[in-house]
Amino acid sequence: MNKRIILSIFLKYYLPPKKEGFAITWFFVTLLPVINIKFMSGRPLAEQRLYIPSLGFCLLVALILIRNLPEIFKKQSLFLFVTRTFLTIAILSCYLALTMERDKIWHSNFTLWKDTVAKSPETFRSHFNLGSALSDRGEYEKAIIEFKKSIELNPKDHESYTSLGATYYRQGEMEKAKEMFLKAIDIFYNSYRAHNNLGNVYNVEGNHELALKEYQEAIKIKPDFAEAYYNMGNAYKDSGDIQKAISAFQKALEFEPDFAKSYYNLGNCFLITEEIEKAQKQFETAIRFDPSFINARYNLANIYYDKKAYSQAIEQLMAILKLDPNHVESHYLMGSIFTETGKLDKALKEYKEVIRIFPDHADALNSLGKIYMKKGEVEKGKIQFEKALKIDPQNGYVHYNLGKLYVIEGDYQAAQKEFEESLKLNPSIAEAWFNLGVIFHKTGKNNSAVEALKKATAVKSDYLDAYFHLGNLYLQQKQFHQAIASFQQALKVKPSHPESHLKLGLIYLYNLNDASNALIHLKKVIELAPNHPHAFQIREAISFLEQ
């Protein structure tokens, strides 16, 4: 029926005699659906609703000009021609100026709805949209005022309560946010956004069970609501149920395949389950959909760092620093990479940048001290360690590094004190146990040295230097079997360690009179290190044993 009416109007008015009629009809017919009649109450009439009707107006003006211009040009005097031309240009200029002015208003959602509120202050929708624009700008207090005004004008608008609650949530005012979401649900139970946001409040409060219930309710109302699945994944992850979290994030991606945050958190789950390759893939996908996703790039850089793929890690870190030149973690990781690759001056520059941005970064001060120590600038290193300890006196690693510095200076008493303080704060620093053992050995406290070195190997089972030093201590104490066990442990860590083979060969040769085992290990020394400093004596011993 509607098609017949439209066709009749077209045939009746589009024919040459009545083109103007068609233009007029077009204008009014297309205007009817968008004027402020009852079902559009609360929504101001905006110019975008006149775009289609204006086609009829423009057509009508054009038809009138086409029809009358030839007669006008024939009959008019020069004065009339100039006058009409001037008026035409003036009118067009006015339209141009007005268009440019409106363009300023349409520059952003904020400017548009600020202007709309000024012109239609009694429409709740204008205040609601202005509140949303202000919230997006981070102007939460002003946004709250607008949402409250929207609610005042229309107390039954559940969306206003939901958005007001979301703004309180962003401010960290969870009780107020919860109250607003519950009010929205009370007005309209099927407000899936209110259920979802209420779940977020419960999750922040640590009530994962209630959070999951709200997310499930949101999904029940809107089964393809990707955000609710994403938030459900966060709740499962926070509660320690990683497999369910993975399933929820994957479900979110079914409905929204370009949801970068879902890929990111899915990657974080795979990090927890130590599925590094899967995690890497998720972070790479997150970056593909959102190249400005700093956290995804940083996690990817850490994966590359752990793999010693330093150039790829630096590529990600440089991309982050283009987005945020003051990203502290990226500067710090860059410093770590340059330290490990021996580029100490570049590392120094990065750690200094960290401290410029965040002067109380104890780890950066500690790393800066280590660089100075490696460069032989001991006093500069000490200054950095002391600064770090003023900020974080409970940092065991700083005490450990300060102890190493005192060893370089030959102050074993001060070094011992720092190593002991380090271990008091953090007993899992294997290197501190090792260095403490070395000091005990140097100061003649051999039993204490043995205990410290055993602690080092207990903390770090692949600690080659600790096993080797422990073997030497046992050998010095003539505890040959314990020495053999320690050197054998060293070889388990590094089978190609010539010094351990040499020690074993000598013990078997001179202390246990075991020629066959001595020959095996002495030959291994020559095989591994043909230019060993004692190669001549070792070869003579081998010749003697083979006779």
Side-chain angles (χ1 to χ4, degrees):
M1 183 66 182
N2 289 337
K3 291 181 180 178
R4 290 181 181 177
I5 292 171
I6 293 168
L7 182 61
S8 300
I9 293 170
F10 178 80
L11 291 173
K12 185 174 180 181
Y13 294 110
Y14 187 71
L15 294 174
K18 295 190 177 179
K19 288 179 182 178
E20 292 86 346
F22 171 72
I24 294 167
T25 303
W26 176 278
F27 178 79
F28 285 108
V29 168
T30 55
L31 185 65
L32 280 174
V34 296
I35 59 177
N36 277 347
I37 55 179
K38 186 175 181 180
F39 67 87
M40 292 290 291
S41 62
R43 295 179 182 269
L45 182 62
E47 63 258 44
Q48 75 268 25
R49 296 179 188 160
L50 298 177
Y51 291 157
I52 295 176
S54 67
L55 291 173
F57 173 76
C58 294
L59 178 60
L60 179 63
V61 172
L63 288 170
I64 291 171
L65 288 174
I66 290 169
R67 186 163 295 178
N68 293 290
L69 276 177
E71 294 299 319
I72 291 171
F73 279 109
K74 283 180 184 178
K75 297 176 183 178
Q76 71 178 348
S77 63
L78 180 61
F79 173 77
L80 286 174
F81 174 77
V82 172
T83 303
R84 285 168 177 162
T85 302
F86 174 77
L87 288 173
T88 301
I89 293 171
I91 291 167
L92 290 174
S93 298
C94 286
Y95 274 118
L96 177 62
L98 290 170
T99 300
M100 291 173 69
E101 190 64 28
R102 288 302 293 171
D103 184 60
K104 293 177 184 177
I105 292 167
W106 278 82
H107 176 71
S108 68
N109 279 340
F110 169 69
T111 54
L112 172 63
W113 291 109
K114 184 179 178 183
D115 177 73
T116 306
V117 165
K119 292 172 180 174
S120 304
E122 297 307 314
T123 57
F124 82 92
R125 186 60 60 185
S126 299
H127 289 282
F128 172 81
N129 288 335
L130 179 57
S132 298
L134 287 164
S135 187
D136 290 342
R137 286 162 60 95
E139 298 181 47
Y140 299 132
E141 293 299 330
K142 291 180 181 179
I144 286 168
I145 292 170
E146 295 302 323
F147 289 134
K148 285 183 175 179
K149 184 64 178 177
S150 174
I151 290 167
E152 180 187 324
L153 293 169
N154 185 359
K156 294 296 182 182
D157 182 48
H158 66 93
E159 290 181 345
S160 294
Y161 284 103
T162 301
S163 294
L164 179 56
T167 306
Y168 282 134
Y169 178 86
R170 290 176 182 176
Q171 287 188 310
E173 298 186 60
M174 296 302 155
E175 285 303 316
K176 288 184 178 179
K178 189 190 299 184
E179 181 185 350
M180 293 302 106
F181 297 141
L182 287 169
K183 183 69 176 174
I185 291 167
D186 185 53
I187 293 169
F188 182 58
Y189 186 81
N190 284 342
S191 176
Y192 57 90
R193 293 197 181 278
H195 283 289
N196 176 66
N197 291 348
L198 182 58
N200 289 340
V201 173
Y202 288 135
N203 199 40
V204 168
E205 292 177 342
N207 196 334
H208 305 305
E209 186 178 345
L210 281 179
L212 290 167
K213 181 182 176 183
E214 292 301 326
Y215 297 140
Q216 286 161 356
E217 197 62 30
I219 291 166
K220 182 180 175 183
I221 296 165
K222 185 175 171 58
D224 62 347
F225 191 18
E227 188 179 336
Y229 281 109
Y230 167 77
N231 290 326
M232 184 183 287
N234 286 330
Y236 280 128
K237 179 173 171 284
D238 293 343
S239 64
D241 196 335
I242 303 304
Q243 291 306 318
K244 285 187 178 178
I246 289 171
S247 297
F249 290 132
Q250 289 173 335
K251 196 71 177 176
L253 292 170
E254 282 183 27
F255 296 112
E256 197 172 324
D258 59 350
F259 197 165
K261 288 195 294 185
S262 277
Y263 288 109
Y264 169 71
N265 276 358
L266 189 55
N268 287 334
C269 287
F270 286 132
L271 285 181
I272 293 169
T273 59
E274 298 183 352
E275 297 176 87
I276 305 303
E277 295 304 319
K278 288 184 178 180
Q280 179 177 328
K281 183 179 179 182
Q282 300 308 314
F283 295 137
E284 288 170 344
T285 308
I287 293 164
R288 188 171 77 247
F289 286 115
D290 182 4
S292 64
F293 201 155
I294 286 177
N295 288 345
R297 286 190 181 276
Y298 182 71
N299 283 5
L300 184 57
N302 271 291
I303 288 176
Y304 287 137
Y305 174 77
D306 291 338
K307 290 181 173 182
K308 300 191 182 302
Y310 295 133
S311 60
Q312 290 167 289
I314 288 174
E315 182 183 345
Q316 293 303 321
L317 295 172
M318 292 297 291
I320 291 170
L321 292 172
K322 280 185 181 179
L323 295 165
D324 179 8
N326 291 330
H327 193 259
V328 170
E329 293 83 357
S330 291
H331 283 294
Y332 186 80
L333 185 55
M334 193 90 83
S336 300
I337 291 170
F338 288 137
T339 301
E340 293 199 14
T341 53
K343 299 173 182 176
L344 299 186
D345 290 330
K346 287 186 175 182
L348 208 63
K349 180 181 175 183
E350 292 301 327
Y351 291 135
K352 284 181 177 179
E353 190 65 15
V354 172
I355 294 163
R356 180 191 68 78
I357 300 164
F358 183 22
D360 290 344
H361 199 297
D363 288 337
L365 289 165
N366 180 47
S367 296
L368 195 58
K370 288 165 66 178
I371 295 294
Y372 282 129
M373 201 160 60
K374 285 184 178 182
K375 289 167 70 71
E377 300 178 57
V378 177
E379 280 306 311
K380 286 185 178 180
K382 187 185 291 185
I383 290 168
Q384 301 307 318
F385 294 140
E386 288 171 348
K387 283 182 181 178
L389 287 174
K390 282 181 182 178
I391 296 165
D392 185 8
Q394 305 300 308
N395 192 319
Y397 286 99
V398 182
H399 284 286
Y400 162 68
N401 287 321
L402 187 55
K404 284 181 68 178
L405 187 145
Y406 284 130
V407 169
I408 292 170
E409 291 184 330
D411 189 344
Y412 297 131
Q413 187 176 355
Q416 179 180 331
K417 181 182 174 183
E418 291 301 328
F419 290 140
E420 286 173 340
E421 185 64 22
S422 167
L423 293 166
K424 179 182 173 183
L425 295 167
N426 188 348
S428 65
I429 303 176
E431 292 79 3
W433 285 114
F434 173 76
N435 281 279
L436 187 59
V438 172
I439 287 176
F440 284 143
H441 186 198
K442 286 184 177 181
T443 55
K445 300 173 184 176
N446 289 341
N447 290 334
S448 296
V450 168
E451 290 306 312
L453 291 169
K454 284 167 73 175
K455 288 276 183 69
T457 59
V459 172
K460 186 179 178 183
S461 61
D462 61 347
Y463 203 161
L464 174 65
D465 289 343
Y467 286 119
F468 185 74
H469 205 94
L470 187 57
N472 282 326
L473 264 172
Y474 283 132
L475 183 57
Q476 185 178 333
Q477 294 174 330
K478 300 187 184 306
Q479 297 180 41
F480 302 121
H481 292 290
Q482 288 93 326
I484 287 171
S486 294
F487 291 129
Q488 286 175 338
Q489 282 297 124
L491 289 173
K492 281 185 180 178
V493 176
K494 186 179 179 182
S496 61
H497 191 238
E499 297 305 322
S500 291
H501 282 292
L502 177 58
K503 293 289 182 179
L504 285 168
L506 294 175
I507 292 171
Y508 283 124
L509 178 61
Y510 294 113
N511 302 114
L512 299 181
N513 296 316
D514 185 341
S516 60
N517 273 320
L519 190 60
I520 290 169
H521 287 287
L522 293 174
K523 281 185 173 181
K524 198 69 178 175
V525 176
I526 297 301
E527 178 189 329
L528 294 168
N531 297 318
H532 191 280
H534 301 294
F536 177 76
Q537 293 91 332
I538 295 168
R539 285 190 174 94
E540 279 197 335
I542 291 170
S543 296
F544 174 76
L545 291 170
E546 285 180 335
Q547 288 178 0

